[in-house]
């Protein structure tokens, strides 16, 4: 599972880019001109400062030759000529699989957009239904602009800007609350109706809105914020409603060369199972309540050899007893007993959609961790990494990044190596998945549930070259 939303990764990486005056008798609020059906909204405190931060970011530079960047620099070249003095908003809306629309909103003044010095441009005024707007063509690329109530509006969609000018644009209370959560931030991103992608194909509702205060640094990309879960439809974040977040320890068993991992914590197994039921078509025929009741962290590790489910026990005797009817001893590897697991789909049926639908076949125990794996290669890879201390939690880059996380959280998502770009590719272009972020080996995304919202932390930092740490064989 990766939070893909349109998106937490669009929110994160769409910002990783760039670059006729009429009087009005009143000043409208900028937020009222942001399209109501936006997937992503960026509130930008200082447009010029943001551009400079993006230019100086080593992480952003990795995307400089992709369609993700050229959307702003070439496909929609109007951005090169925008120069707002104060706060502005950028809205992104996915019209369909092949068309993404933008809308830019700022306070009107003499500098925000001036066409006089632009070569190869034409401006045509369109008047209909008591409204007036301009169709602007720059180097054969078309955009639309208008001024209303001292607000400048530019959009790639004539339909969108027309609806705004006609007053057919009503923001929801949840969106207005989300956009105001981080007042005073240099850059705020709000993702509306984010989705969780399961098994890279299906998705479920995750939350109502996610609001992030984003920092673009020369060697890092970080964000803090909140996720709001306020809708009546089932939302995956609310699975953790009423749960007390526990300490995430999955990194102590994740091999350094893993592709990705997810950690979920809870303190009430009965409530967790009940909250998952709206997302499940069938109830499990087996009752594993005793297994879940002896555990406070569930994890999934993705390796190139296959997947594994990890259960962190708070009572190893109880967990052993609860798992006993599903396992039979087979062999051993590096002084660790390996068991056959006779219910390959049991955990997925019970914990779907938190974990993927892997065919589990083996089980083993490493201290407080009970691992059910897809095959022998996965089993041996995890045991070897754990015995050699060659795990993510022992790496200098995890130790560095984790200082910006809470010790306990409801959800912690680990993206490692090229899986960072894999997660972005489905929303933009397959070319992104070929980008190697070798200097950025890890991205962490954390949600800590609290009443009807969750605190959010995101960190992706460049690995320090002067820090190296290796495992020790035991």
């Amino acid at each position: 599972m990766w939070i893909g939303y349109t998106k937490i990764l669009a929110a994160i990486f769409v910002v990783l880019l760039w670059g006729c005056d009429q009087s009005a008798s009143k000043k409208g609020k900028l937020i009222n001109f942001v399209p109501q059906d936006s997937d992503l909204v960026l509130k930008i405190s200082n447009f010029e400062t943001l551009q400079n931060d993006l230019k100086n970011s080593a992480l952003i530079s990795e995307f400089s030759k992709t369609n993700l960047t050229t959307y702003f620099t070439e496909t929609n070249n109007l951005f090169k000529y925008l120069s707002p003095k104060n706060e502005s908003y950028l809205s992104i809306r996915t019209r369909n699989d092949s068309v993404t629309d933008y809308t830019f909103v700022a306070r009107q003044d003499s500098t925000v957009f001036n066409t006089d010095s632009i070569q190869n441009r034409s401006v045509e005024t369109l008047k209909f239904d008591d409204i007036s707007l301009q169709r602007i063509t720059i180097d054969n690329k078309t955009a639309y602009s208008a001024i209303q109530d001292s607000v400048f509006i530019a959009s790639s969609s004539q339909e969108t800007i027309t609806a705004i000018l006609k007053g057919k644009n009503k923001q929801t209370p949840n969106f207005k609350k989300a956009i105001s959560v981080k007042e005073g931030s240099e850059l705020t991103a709000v993702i509306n109706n984010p989705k969780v992608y399961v098994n890279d194909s299906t998705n479920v509702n995750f939350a109502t809105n996610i609001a992030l205060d984003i920092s673009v640094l020369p060697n890092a990309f970080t964000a803090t914020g909140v996720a709001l879960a306020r809708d009546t439809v089932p939302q995956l974040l609310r699975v953790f409603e009423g749960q007390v977040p526990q300490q995430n320890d999955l990194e102590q068993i994740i091999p350094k060369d893993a592709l990705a991992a997810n950690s979920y914590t809870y303190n009430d197994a009965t409530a967790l199972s009940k909250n998952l039921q709206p997302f499940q078509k069938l109830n499990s025929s087996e009752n594993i309540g005793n297994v879940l009741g002896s555990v406070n962290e569930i994890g999934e590790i993705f390796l190139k050899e296959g997947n594994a489910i990890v259960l962190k026990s708070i009572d190893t005797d109880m967990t052993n007893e609860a798992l006993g009817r599903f396992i039979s001893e087979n062999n051993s590897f590096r002084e660790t007993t390996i068991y056959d697991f006779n219910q390959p789909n049991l955990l997925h049926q019970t914990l779907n959609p938190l974990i993927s639908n892997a065919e589990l076949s083996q089980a083993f125990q490493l201290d407080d961790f009970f691992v059910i794996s897809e095959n022998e290669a996965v089993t041996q890879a995890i045991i070897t990494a754990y015995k050699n201390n060659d795990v993510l939690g022992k790496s200098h880059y995890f130790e560095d990044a984790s200082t910006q996380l809470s010790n306990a959280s409801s959800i912690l998502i680990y993206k490692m190596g090229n899986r960072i770009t894999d997660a972005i590719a489905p929303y933009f272009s397959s070319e992104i998945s070929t980008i190697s972020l070798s200097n950025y080996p890890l991205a962490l995304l954390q949600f800590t549930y609290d009443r009807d919202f969750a605190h959010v932390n995101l960190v992706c930092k460049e690995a320090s070259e002067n820090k190296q740490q290796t495992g020790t064989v035991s």
Side-chain angles (χ1 to χ4, degrees), residues 123 166 296 304 388 400:
V123 179
K166 288 184 175 182
N296 69 356
K304 61 180 182 295
N388 291 351
D400 187 23

Side-chain angles (χ1 to χ4, degrees), residues 212-398:
L212 297 172
D213 176 9
I214 296 176
S215 296
V216 182
L217 306 172
N219 64 344
F221 185 89
T222 65
T224 61
V226 297
L228 306 178
R230 302 281 174 86
D231 285 352
T232 56
V233 298
Q235 294 176 316
L236 194 60
L237 183 59
R238 297 182 66 179
V239 165
F240 299 93
E241 186 173 9
Q243 302 285 355
V244 178
Q246 306 295 300
Q247 180 170 309
N248 304 92
D249 288 322
L250 188 64
E251 65 273 359
Q252 301 305 325
I253 198 171
I254 302 173
K256 284 184 184 177
D257 61 355
L259 303 174
N262 303 319
S263 165
Y264 312 97
T265 76
Y266 60 94
N267 70 315
D268 187 335
T270 302
L272 179 71
S273 297
K274 180 180 179 181
N275 290 345
L276 281 171
Q277 288 177 5
F279 299 93
Q280 299 171 347
K281 295 181 180 179
L282 297 173
N283 291 328
S284 171
S285 59
E286 294 280 358
N287 183 356
I288 63 168
N290 289 339
V291 176
L292 298 182
S294 66
V295 168
N296 69 356
E297 181 179 15
I298 300 166
E300 182 166 17
I301 301 173
F302 303 88
L303 302 169
K304 61 180 182 295
E305 296 88 353
N307 301 353
I309 307 302
V310 180
L311 308 174
K312 188 187 73 178
S313 177
I314 54 177
D315 186 329
T316 56
D317 290 339
M318 181 183 292
T319 307
N320 264 312
E321 182 179 351
L323 285 173
R325 59 193 170 122
F326 304 122
I327 61 175
S328 56
E329 186 171 343
N330 184 320
N331 54 28
S332 65
F333 178 74
R334 294 192 63 168
E335 301 179 348
T336 299
T337 303
I338 310 299
Y339 300 88
D340 289 328
F341 187 71
N342 61 27
Q343 294 289 329
N345 300 308
L346 176 61
L347 291 178
H348 176 258
Q349 291 171 358
T350 306
L351 296 170
N352 175 50
L354 296 182
I355 64 173
S356 63
N357 190 17
E359 293 282 327
L360 304 174
S361 63
Q362 295 190 335
F364 56 96
Q365 180 183 354
L366 294 170
D367 296 325
D368 293 337
F369 296 105
F370 288 77
V371 184
I372 301 93
S373 72
E374 202 169 3
N375 54 55
E376 185 176 18
V378 174
T379 295
Q380 293 186 2
I382 292 176
I383 293 174
T384 299
Y386 190 79
K387 296 280 187 179
N388 291 351
N389 283 326
D390 195 25
V391 293
L392 178 64
K394 301 291 185 181
S395 67
H396 68 276
Y397 47 86
F398 175 82

Side-chain angles (χ1 to χ4, degrees), residues 151-164:
V151 175
F152 170 81
I153 313 159
S155 180
S156 57
S157 167
Q158 181 177 343
E159 178 184 3
T160 296
I161 199 169
T162 298
I164 293 172

Side-chain angles (χ1 to χ4, degrees), residues 195-216:
K195 306 288 185 181
V196 172
Y197 279 76
V198 184
N199 300 332
D200 298 326
S201 57
T202 60
N203 65 68
V204 297
N205 294 314
F206 181 74
T208 308
N209 312 93
I210 296 177
L212 297 172
D213 176 9
I214 296 176
S215 296
V216 182

